[in-house]
Amino acid sequence: MISEAPAARDAMDFDVVIVGAGPAGLGAAIRLKQLDPDLSVVVVEKGSEVGAHILSGAVIDPVALDRLLPDWRADEACPLKTKVTRDRFYWMTANGAIRLPNMLMPPLMNNHRCYVGSLGDLCRWLAPQAEALGVEIYPGFAATEVIYGESGEVRGIATGDMGVARDGTPKASFTRGMELRGKYTLFAEGARGSLSKQLIARFRLDQDSEPAKFGIGLKEVWQIDPDKHRPGLIRHSFGWPLGNATGGGSFVYHYGDNLVAVGFVVHLNYSDPYLSPFEEFQRFKTHPDMRDLLEGGKRLSYGARAITEGGYQSVPRLTFAGGALIGCAAGFVNVPRIKGVHNALGSAMLAAEHVAGALAQGRANDELAGYESGWRGSAVGKDLFRVRNVKPLWSRFGTVLGVALGGIDMWMQTLFGASLFGTRPHGKPDCATLDPAKEHTPRTALKPDGVLTFDRLSSVFLSNTNHEEDQPVHLKVADMALQKSSEHDVFAGPSGRYCPAGVYEWIGQGEDARFQINAQNCVHCKTCDVKDPNGNITWVPPEGGGGPNYQGM
């Protein structure tokens, strides 16, 4: 470790500091400058460029984008070109697929006003919109520390030091991080953000909420035979290859130049430690329908990301002295619709309006109480309230009965504005749902063929993931002895299966087993931070600019 006290950081002062250049961060920045062009606003982004770490399905509901930038459709550079034309739902079996009539679907599940595209590309388009208004955007700099004032209020963030060796000593290239100080700081880090997690713990923001819940979403983009391409067709399914007790499902979206986004979501409250979301995704592609669709095509990209799934009852208190949580950092994903972009933008605009109002009154570094008290009555809160029971019913009763009950509940909300179930609790956090390995049978591994199905390392290659190797490992194991005695000995090493990038391995057998972390493979999905059975792994940002460099995701 560095033996001498580090040099003081240089500092820059702004009216508003925003962490994360996803849709929420960029949306907040744009709205702030629309409300007051004289505000100084900075966005710091850990990816090498805007969009590098962005991954989503994505079928995007434009309701919030219409409010933020009403003329976006007229801009030829905007990447949202494919409007949804056909919307299908299926129950999958090993060799077949039963289509569910659209008339059974609650109206709020309708996607026909939505657009299919790349969320990363949308963020790449939003960034110059923000810069044209005077927003400063700094990609390649990871926010690693929250700056607090004398009374405990948030005063901004510090970016991580660059050029630190694996043993913690400074290299010849060492550069001290910067302090970005703000009158208000908005945290838009996405699901399981590292600083957001610290803030939730420090200010006890979740003390009156249900436990946060998550899924893992895995995605590939394929270019397929033009004769099979159906622009605007979107398809969602549940069932095979997952069992009834494991929540999740698939999506297949046709858009662009013969492109298909193929994705698979597994709820992280699963109980079988032998389950591998990555392998179930690969297995899904062997279904006759998928094999026929992808045959003759080419896989272009791969990625994975944790998804917030707790919804209405898991949203923590959003505000604290000096700042607020926005977007997926707060957990605004609508689970049955598999959509969060509209709520990320909606929450960002709402927060921006309260920040601008506070600054206009001469306030600074206090709590934005109006944002906290107002979100549940906003479009964001109303959107989540109507679907609040879908996830807990699915978890409690399994896929077949749980999905049916969730559908009934959504119809009740639509027709009568009320629920038969009240507001259901979620129960245990995802880290506490694994059974001991002795209660389950190891699964037969799927052998990849390199044409339709693939292994982790070739998939990570397509994510363009890169980290400086000589830097401290950014996956922190608090107690290595506990990792061996529990994660390995009791749960049979699920980290090697829940990680979609081959980061974790147990080398050797029995008492000689050793936990190996291949940090350079990490695609920053944050699943380990959620699913380790002891909460023993903490994900922290590596050196800025590291990680995946997603294109078209």
Side-chain angles (χ1 to χ4, degrees):
M1 298 298 293
I2 299 174
S3 57
E4 299 179 4
R9 301 184 182 100
D10 290 335
M12 301 173 67
D13 293 303
F14 299 88
D15 290 313
V16 186
V17 175
I18 300 173
V19 181
L26 293 170
I30 290 170
R31 187 66 183 134
L32 283 164
K33 295 294 281 187
Q34 289 173 336
L35 293 168
D36 186 349
D38 294 327
L39 292 179
S40 58
V41 180
V42 65
V43 180
V44 62
E45 163 60 37
K46 66 183 174 66
S48 61
E49 64 177 14
V50 173
H53 289 178
I54 299 294
L55 183 148
S56 182
V59 171
I60 296 173
D61 186 335
V63 60
L65 186 59
D66 287 340
R67 288 179 48 221
L68 181 67
L69 297 168
D71 298 328
W72 66 269
R73 291 175 181 83
D75 188 337
E76 286 297 318
C78 182
L80 295 184
K81 303 294 186 185
T82 305
K83 196 169 185 177
V84 173
T85 58
R86 282 168 289 181
D87 193 358
R88 297 177 181 175
F89 298 85
Y90 291 87
W91 169 260
M92 304 291 283
T93 65
N95 295 301
I98 302 169
R99 185 175 175 187
L100 306 180
N102 282 35
M103 63 181 295
L104 295 180
M105 299 298 159
L108 62 88
M109 296 292 288
N110 191 308
N111 287 297
H112 283 279
R113 65 181 180 276
C114 300
Y115 288 78
V116 188
S118 160
L119 182 58
D121 288 347
L122 180 63
C123 290
R124 289 181 175 94
W125 176 79
L126 285 171
Q129 313 302 312
E131 290 175 321
L133 295 171
V135 176
E136 297 182 45
I137 302 177
Y138 297 149
F141 293 93
T144 60
E145 181 181 337
V146 179
I147 299 172
Y148 298 98
E150 292 182 358
S151 299
E153 75 281 9
V154 172
R155 291 272 173 177
I157 60 92
T159 63
D161 295 340
M162 308 281 278
V164 178
R166 182 174 289 265
D167 64 2
T169 59
K171 298 186 288 189
S173 59
F174 177 80
T175 304
R176 192 79 166 104
M178 289 278 296
E179 288 188 4
L180 303 178
R181 300 171 180 165
K183 296 174 183 176
Y184 293 100
T185 305
L186 300 179
F187 293 85
E189 299 176 286
R192 202 63 166 188
S194 55
L195 297 186
S196 302
K197 180 182 172 183
Q198 294 175 29
L199 290 162
I200 289 169
R202 180 185 179 98
F203 292 107
R204 300 178 65 194
L205 302 179
D206 59 351
Q207 65 179 348
D208 297 320
S209 305
E210 282 291 301
K213 305 296 286 184
F214 298 89
I216 178 173
L218 304 103
K219 176 183 174 181
E220 295 175 352
V221 175
W222 285 68
Q223 192 162 47
I224 64 169
D225 182 341
D227 291 339
K228 301 177 183 178
H229 194 244
R230 305 289 182 267
L233 169 64
I234 66 171
R235 168 177 171 155
H236 296 98
S237 74
F238 47 90
W240 186 90
L242 298 177
N244 186 59
T246 303
S250 75
F251 60 85
V252 180
Y253 304 151
H254 294 243
Y255 68 105
D257 183 16
N258 299 317
L259 298 179
V260 174
V262 181
F264 201 75
V265 176
V266 177
H267 301 177
L268 287 177
N269 60 355
Y270 65 82
S271 60
D272 184 352
Y274 291 112
L275 185 143
S276 165
F278 177 86
E279 290 200 4
E280 296 308 305
F281 177 33
Q282 300 304 311
R283 197 183 316 277
F284 165 72
K285 292 185 295 175
T286 68
H287 188 277
D289 286 4
M290 295 305 302
R291 186 181 294 276
D292 179 67
L293 176 68
L294 300 178
E295 186 176 17
K298 179 182 180 181
R299 187 175 72 147
L300 303 180
S301 53
Y302 164 84
R305 187 69 170 90
I307 307 167
T308 59
E309 291 188 343
Y312 189 85
Q313 52 269 61
S314 291
V315 175
R317 194 171 91 242
L318 301 177
T319 58
F320 39 86
L325 306 177
I326 61 176
C328 285
F332 288 131
V333 170
N334 182 315
V335 171
R337 295 186 72 200
I338 323 179
K339 289 178 180 59
V341 176
H342 63 302
N343 286 337
L345 284 171
S347 67
M349 288 188 283
L350 183 63
E353 288 157 8
H354 284 281
V355 169
L359 291 171
Q361 296 170 13
R363 293 163 49 193
N365 303 109
D366 60 357
E367 186 162 355
L368 299 162
Y371 172 49
E372 165 60 25
S373 63
W375 81 267
R376 292 184 189 274
S378 73
V380 174
K382 293 174 182 177
D383 183 64
L384 294 184
F385 186 75
R386 293 181 299 169
V387 301
R388 67 192 183 279
N389 288 321
V390 173
K391 166 75 173 183
L393 287 170
W394 195 339
S395 300
R396 173 64 180 83
F397 295 104
T399 298
V400 176
L401 180 58
V403 168
L405 291 173
I408 292 170
D409 192 59
M410 286 189 284
W411 270 112
M412 292 293 294
Q413 296 281 343
T414 300
L415 296 176
F416 307 110
S419 170
L420 294 173
F421 304 100
T423 298
R424 297 278 305 182
H426 285 301
K428 297 184 288 188
D430 295 331
C431 64
T433 62
L434 282 180
D435 296 330
K438 65 183 180 181
E439 298 179 15
H440 295 267
T441 303
R443 300 181 176 215
T444 302
L446 179 71
K447 185 177 181 179
D449 60 18
V451 178
L452 181 67
T453 58
F454 303 89
D455 61 17
R456 284 173 171 81
L457 293 185
S458 64
S459 299
V460 171
F461 177 80
L462 285 183
S463 72
N464 301 307
T465 294
N466 183 59
H467 295 90
E468 167 61 47
E469 290 197 24
D470 187 16
Q471 66 171 303
V473 173
H474 67 280
L475 304 150
K476 307 296 185 182
V477 180
D479 185 340
M480 195 60 77
L482 177 63
Q483 203 69 12
K484 171 65 172 64
S485 64
S486 178
E487 202 261 347
H488 179 272
D489 294 353
V490 176
F491 297 101
S495 55
R497 291 179 285 275
Y498 64 60
C499 175
V503 170
Y504 299 106
E505 294 181 90
W506 281 100
I507 307 297
Q509 301 292 325
E511 292 304 313
D512 296 327
R514 175 176 57 85
F515 196 46
Q516 179 163 303
I517 302 175
N518 305 307
Q520 67 274 17
N521 291 354
C522 180
V523 295
H524 298 199
C525 74
K526 318 287 184 67
T527 303
C528 56
D529 199 292
V530 173
K531 192 58 179 172
D532 180 83
N534 301 291
N536 198 35
I537 299 176
T538 298
W539 187 99
V540 300
E543 192 170 283
N549 283 278
Y550 292 135
Q551 299 297 318
M553 294 291 272

